Amino acid sequence: MNKANFILLATLVILGFHQVCNGANPDTCVSGPWHKPKPTQEGADYVECLSWKSMSCCTANFTKELAANKVLNLYNFRWNHCGNISQACETFIKDEECFYQCEPNLIYYNPAEANDTVRDVPICASYCNAWFEACKDDQTCVEDWQKDFNYTAGTYSCPAISTCKTYAEWYKNGKGLCDKMWGRSFKYEESDNCMLMTFNSSKGNPNTKVMPRTSSADFNSVVPALLEIVCILTAALLSECL
C-alpha cells in the first residue's frame, strides 16, 4: 500500500472512531405513518415531544395531533381504557409515544423482520422505575400493549375476557413494566448504556451515545473499555493532526 492510500485509510478509520467517540447522528428514521424519511430540525409548529425539536424523526402534524387528542385519532385507542389515569402516569405514556415516533437512534434497533417496530431498546433502569412509580396505582386490562388488545373495525379495546388491574399487579416493578408493556420493544437496562424517553434538549440528545449491543461480546465489560482506549488514541491523533 503506498503512502497516499495509507494516509487515506488512516484518515477514514480515525473519522469513524471519532464518530463513535462523539456519537454519530443517524440519517434514516424507522418507517411509519408519522415518521419522516430522515431526522431534521423542526420549527414553531412542532408543539409536543420537545426533547426532539432540534432533530426529530416525527412530523410536526403528529405533535399537534398528540397535543390535541392524545392517540385517539392516531390509533383509535385510549390510554384511559380502564378509567381515568393519573397525570403523572399519562405523562410517561405520552413520553413513550414521543420517544418511539421521534427518536432518530431507534433505527439501530429496527431489524428487518420487525417492520416498523423496534426490538430490545435499552431503557435506563432509573427511568423504568420512575415510570412504574408514576403508574403503579393506575389500571390497564392487558400486559402487552403491542399485541394483547382486541383490534376490531379499526379500534383497539380491552378483550372481552380481560380484567382491569393495576400496573403493580401486571408488572410488579419497573423491570417488569419496561420488559413487558410493549412486548419486545424495550429492555430494562442497569448499565449506563441506556436511553431516556425524555431529556433536556439544551444539553443535546443523550441517546446518541448509546451503543447497540452485539452478540459477540459482553458489552458491559469489553466494549466500553475498548471504546475508551480507541477514543483516547483517536483524540490524541486528531490533536497531533490539527
Side-chain angles (χ1 to χ4, degrees):
M1 181 181 294
N2 60 40
K3 183 177 180 181
N5 287 339
F6 177 80
I7 292 174
L8 175 61
L9 177 61
T11 301
L12 291 174
V13 171
I14 289 173
L15 289 174
F17 284 153
H18 186 63
Q19 282 191 306
V20 170
C21 295
N22 292 281
N25 290 320
D27 58 6
T28 305
C29 296
V30 174
S31 63
W34 301 102
H35 287 91
K36 296 183 291 188
K38 62 181 181 179
T40 58
Q41 185 174 7
E42 289 292 336
D45 55 347
Y46 188 94
V47 297
E48 194 61 89
C49 309
L50 298 181
S51 293
W52 292 275
K53 187 172 183 179
S54 63
M55 189 60 62
S56 176
C57 274
C58 62
T59 65
N61 284 339
F62 163 79
T63 67
K64 289 190 285 188
E65 181 59 42
L66 186 65
N69 301 300
K70 302 171 187 175
V71 294
L72 180 60
N73 294 333
L74 296 173
Y75 310 123
N76 287 326
F77 177 65
R78 297 179 184 272
W79 294 331
N80 59 344
H81 45 270
C82 279
N84 292 334
I85 61 173
S86 65
Q87 184 60 54
C89 183
E90 182 177 290
T91 296
F92 274 92
I93 297 174
K94 180 182 70 176
D95 288 342
E96 185 280 329
E97 184 65 29
C98 288
F99 176 71
Y100 172 68
Q101 298 288 353
C102 309
E103 173 58 62
N105 294 287
L106 291 185
I107 191 63
Y108 301 128
Y109 300 86
N110 178 226
E113 69 272 16
N115 297 320
D116 60 348
T117 63
V118 294
R119 294 276 178 84
D120 298 328
V121 181
I123 306 301
C124 296
S126 59
Y127 186 89
C128 294
N129 294 338
W131 187 355
F132 176 77
E133 286 300 315
C135 294
K136 64 182 180 181
D137 295 324
D138 292 283
Q139 294 190 331
T140 183
C141 60
V142 299
E143 180 180 77
D144 185 344
W145 281 31
Q146 203 167 51
K147 66 179 184 180
D148 288 350
F149 282 106
N150 179 51
Y151 185 69
T152 304
T155 300
Y156 290 93
S157 60
C158 292
I161 60 173
S162 66
T163 301
C164 288
K165 298 189 292 187
T166 66
Y167 280 61
E169 291 176 291
W170 282 112
Y171 305 116
K172 309 302 182 187
N173 50 40
K175 185 178 189 306
L177 188 151
C178 277
D179 286 351
K180 297 177 180 179
M181 186 173 177
W182 291 99
R184 293 183 54 192
S185 297
F186 309 127
K187 287 185 64 176
Y188 184 88
E189 181 57 57
E190 296 183 275
S191 76
D192 292 335
N193 187 61
C194 61
M195 292 193 179
L196 297 170
M197 294 188 177
T198 186
F199 50 85
N200 182 351
S201 59
S202 67
K203 299 180 180 180
N205 184 344
N207 299 332
T208 300
K209 297 185 180 295
V210 176
M211 298 293 293
R213 285 188 182 277
T214 64
S215 58
S216 59
D218 181 0
F219 186 94
N220 289 326
S221 60
V222 177
V223 177
L226 291 176
L227 282 178
E228 183 176 3
I229 294 172
V230 168
C231 289
I232 291 171
L233 291 176
T234 302
L237 287 170
L238 288 174
S239 66
E240 290 292 327
C241 295
L242 296 177

